[in-house]
Amino acid sequence: MRDATRKACLVAGGAGFLGSHLCERLLDRGHEVVCLDNFFTGSKRNIEHLLHHPRFELMRHDVTFPLYVEVDEIFNLACPASPVHYQHDPVQTTKTSVHGAINMLGLAKRLRAKILQASTSEVYGDPQVHPQREDYWGHVNPIGHRACYDEGKRCAETLFFDYHRQHKLRIKVMRIFNTYGPRMHPNDGRVVSNFIVQALTGKDITLYGDGSQTRSFCYVDDLVEGALKLMDTDDLIIGPVNVGNPVESTIRELAERIVELTNSRSVIVYRPLPSDDPMQRCPDIARARAWLDWEPQVQLEQGLRSTIEYFDRLLGRPAT
Ligand code: NAD
Ligand code: UDP
Ligand code: UDP
């Protein structure tokens, strides 16, 4: 017989960067994990070490198609997160966000299961309010190159709140700010993985624009802790909740930090800023502090060191 405290959790996008860490933590907590992925940006390698775990199950499936499984909790992370990948097939990105949300919400509705949406700071677009609080509605270009992702994620939030109001679904909406760490794909295209791989392989560090744009970087362990805490809150807490690190740095500072930490001889080169690239990003995490009793524990330098070690091993170089 199944232990009453043991839950069956579906992690859609479970073979991705964040999903694989989440699967691991859920197994550590004694739960059963169904990891679903279409392997668009995720990889079996990320969850290889879990494949033989008796409480772990892997399903190849695309969330844009209906899914019939039996679970207690659903974490919907299925969606490419890097601009390079989500802009590769923008129509598919919107379908994944919108049809994927509808299917996951339909599943949750049939099962009366709790469901968490991995939303994003991109719902704020290129923000005119700083730092971003959850009650800010954002400044998004609806027809630009980032819109497939930004508007897709905004529509998914709308669907979550409408299923909550209309069908009394138990929802949790988490707005994730830039998160980095081991298991980012080396060709993921996001800034932390790009700079580390470039620095470790002695290639030029590609700084887009003049590097004065800012981001705030959250280490993956902190992010996963935030997701678990949000899922565990009582049903009155539905979000949205910003989860991210409020320590802001310019992209140029990040590049210099990574060159220094890797003792690299790489030089920084300047490339054009992609269109609609937000100038400033920093979460106000007062809500996460108050509602989840959560705040990031890992400092940027510490997180960068572990990420550098990971890429060092992956690229087959001895750690520096
Ligand atoms: P990722 O690309 O590593 O993971 C996404 C996973 O979803 C991949 O394994 C991919 O194969 C899978 N996927 C994509 N489309 C799918 C589909 N149609 N059906 C099934 N699986 C599909 O990215 P990540 O950084 O782990 O992001 C996970 C989630 O968190 C995403 O929803 C992303 O939008 C959100 N998020 C991440 C960040 C971040 O900084 N990492 C920031 C904001 C939001
Ligand atoms: N759905 C699913 N699994 C389920 C139940 C529903 O994938 O267990 C999908 C199905 O494709 C459906 C969508 O979720 O179209 C939305 O479900 P809902 O019940 O809200 O709407 P309806 O079935 O009335 O379209
Ligand atoms: N960026 C950069 N060089 C790179 C990759 C990204 O300068 O090789 C910049 C990018 O233009 C943006 C910031 O770093 O201003 C963060 O980019 P990322 O793709 O990681 O995430 P997002 O723009 O979605 O926050």
Side-chain angles (χ1 to χ4, degrees):
M1 224 177 59
R2 218 174 84 183
D3 173 353
T5 60
R6 180 190 292 180
K7 291 180 202 139
C9 305
L10 173 68
V11 182
F17 159 51
L18 296 181
S20 61
H21 287 272
L22 179 61
C23 288
E24 224 168 65
R25 286 290 305 279
L26 289 167
L27 289 171
D28 288 348
R29 285 180 155 202
H31 299 315
E32 286 169 25
V33 173
V34 180
C35 167
L36 174 159
D37 211 291
N38 72 347
F39 301 113
F40 175 50
T41 48
S43 130
K44 253 194 192 163
R45 192 188 167 125
N46 287 340
I47 35 122
E48 209 168 28
H49 59 299
L50 306 176
L51 288 175
H52 298 291
H53 194 294
R55 283 182 277 105
F56 183 80
E57 193 181 332
L58 176 64
M59 278 181 82
R60 179 188 282 267
H61 179 83
D62 188 313
V63 286
T64 59
F65 295 98
L67 174 77
Y68 291 84
V69 291
E70 310 303 311
V71 291
D72 306 302
E73 290 183 348
I74 301 167
F75 293 85
N76 184 29
L77 276 66
C79 187
S82 156
V84 181
H85 294 294
Y86 70 64
Q87 289 172 26
H88 169 74
D89 185 351
V91 173
Q92 179 62 22
T93 299
T94 304
K95 283 186 189 170
T96 293
S97 275
V98 177
H99 293 182
I102 292 174
N103 287 326
M104 291 299 106
L105 287 161
L107 176 69
K109 181 180 144 208
R110 178 176 64 78
L111 300 171
R112 306 311 301 166
K114 230 195 286 188
I115 179 164
L116 180 145
Q117 167 69 355
S119 190
T120 167
S121 55
E122 290 287 322
V123 300
Y124 302 121
D126 191 2
Q128 292 171 318
V129 168
H130 200 73
Q132 292 80 54
R133 275 171 35 150
E134 291 86 348
D135 55 8
Y136 175 52
W137 291 350
H139 180 233
V140 176
N141 174 359
I143 55 169
H145 290 282
R146 294 172 85 103
C148 57
Y149 183 76
D150 299 9
E151 297 290 15
K153 288 283 189 177
R154 284 167 70 95
C155 183
E157 285 201 7
T158 307
L159 284 160
F160 268 69
F161 276 77
D162 283 335
Y163 268 78
H164 170 71
R165 285 185 285 255
Q166 198 173 329
H167 299 300
K168 308 283 172 279
L169 230 65
R170 294 181 294 155
I171 62 157
K172 311 280 175 191
V173 174
M174 172 168 77
R175 290 186 179 155
I176 303 173
F177 281 67
N178 287 55
T179 301
Y180 69 99
R183 297 203 201 117
M184 289 183 96
H185 196 282
N187 300 327
D188 179 82
R190 275 176 286 188
V191 68
V192 173
S193 46
N194 266 13
F195 286 179
I196 292 180
V197 171
Q198 289 163 344
L200 291 176
T201 54
K203 300 213 173 83
D204 291 347
I205 308 274
T206 53
L207 194 60
Y208 302 161
D210 63 4
S212 64
Q213 70 271 37
T214 71
R215 294 294 188 272
S216 343
F217 297 100
C218 182
Y219 189 64
V220 60
D221 290 357
D222 283 332
L223 192 282
V224 170
E225 181 66 19
L228 293 170
K229 283 195 158 188
L230 178 56
M231 191 57 125
D232 285 347
T233 50
D234 74 49
D235 292 349
L236 291 175
I237 293 187
I238 58 176
V241 184
N242 289 339
V243 179
N245 193 318
V247 179
E248 194 176 349
S249 71
T250 67
I251 298 302
R252 185 209 300 265
E253 280 162 4
L254 178 78
E256 288 165 355
R257 200 93 173 257
I258 288 175
V259 169
E260 186 190 311
L261 289 174
T262 50
N263 297 320
S264 174
R265 281 196 293 269
S266 292
V267 293
I268 294 175
V269 298
Y270 293 85
R271 296 281 176 266
L273 192 67
S275 66
D276 295 332
D277 200 275
M279 274 314 289
Q280 247 188 331
R281 268 293 166 64
C282 180
D284 179 317
I285 60 163
R287 230 182 231 189
R289 282 199 177 101
W291 292 1
L292 314 181
D293 187 25
W294 175 90
E295 64 183 342
Q297 303 298 318
V298 182
Q299 308 284 323
L300 184 60
E301 178 158 338
Q302 190 189 346
L304 285 178
R305 283 189 194 280
S306 346
T307 313
I308 290 166
E309 264 173 44
Y310 167 79
F311 278 112
D312 243 333
R313 280 197 306 277
L314 190 78
L315 301 171
R317 293 172 75 259
T320 49

